[in-house]
Amino acid sequence: MDGTGVNSAGVRSVARIVARDDGRGGTALPLLESDGPLALRRTRASGAEARVMLVGAMSGPLGGDHFTVRARVEEGARLSVGSAAATIALPGQAKGEARYDVRLDVADQAELHWLPEQLISAQDSDLYVTTRVELAATARLVLREEQVLGRAGEEPGRLTSRLTVRVAGQVLLDQELACGPGAPGGWDGPAVLGGHRSVGQLLIVRPEFAAEPVPARALGEGASVVPLAGPAALVTAVAPDALRLRRLLDEALASLAET
């Protein structure tokens, strides 16, 4: 269902972005459309890169809500998308889980930086997040995900997050993490979060990584990088809090930029 509506199932909201090479060394935004709790704001461009900020116009997602963000970066365009503040999953009056779907499409010779702020899973919330990315063979991507389980002094809600990325139609990455009450056992154990409450990942896709893969290595305490079977490297990190998690991922991105 497109558009915004409020019913027994919660709020529906869709945001859409299209970035296009403007033919003058920059990137135009012919489509920047949002409604309801999701608001898109164009910010100052940086060179050839257009920049967009996703602003939450109200709290949520709440139980029963369904938010969708779609972004398409056309051939030769460059786009960076961030968010103005953390997203907080909260319990709502409507029963059932909330959903947050992200759909990203990046064409040949195009580049997308998808860098939202943290997603916080508040106590008694239930959120299912899906991110699906379609990349052309020569597309470039930097994608960051950060999840914080519970606000200060509270237990987390249930949070399930799935990330699927395909390059030229071939699956590069397909993984799911479920945490909190009702999640499969072991999510808080040493093999997954090890007692930490902040978890994140950084996916970097560059065509040159196919010929020269990034070597697997530890990146300080709580973070590591591994090459994927394709033109990509994946950084995963756990930390006691959101600030430390961001520092780990920022340091990882800086180190990979030098490779």
Side-chain angles (χ1 to χ4, degrees), residues 87-109:
T87 297
I88 304 178
L90 296 165
Q93 293 182 346
K95 294 183 178 181
E97 69 178 11
R99 294 187 61 93
Y100 200 129
D101 297 327
V102 176
R103 303 290 179 261
L104 308 175
D105 190 339
V106 188
D108 276 314
Q109 305 300 327

Side-chain angles (χ1 to χ4, degrees), residues 145-222:
E145 289 188 339
E146 298 171 308
Q147 296 158 359
V148 179
L149 304 179
R151 294 171 293 190
E154 73 173 7
E155 293 299 310
R158 177 166 178 170
L159 176 62
T160 305
S161 176
R162 183 166 185 174
L163 172 62
T164 306
V165 182
R166 301 199 305 175
V167 177
Q170 300 297 312
V171 175
L172 175 73
L173 178 66
D174 190 353
Q175 65 178 23
E176 182 172 287
L177 175 65
C179 303
W187 65 269
D188 199 25
V192 187
L193 297 187
H196 292 295
R197 283 295 178 264
S198 296
V199 57
Q201 57 188 354
L202 182 71
L203 175 66
I204 302 176
V205 181
R206 299 178 187 163
E208 57 266 30
F209 283 173
E212 298 182 15
V214 171
R217 63 188 190 275
L219 297 172
E221 184 177 355

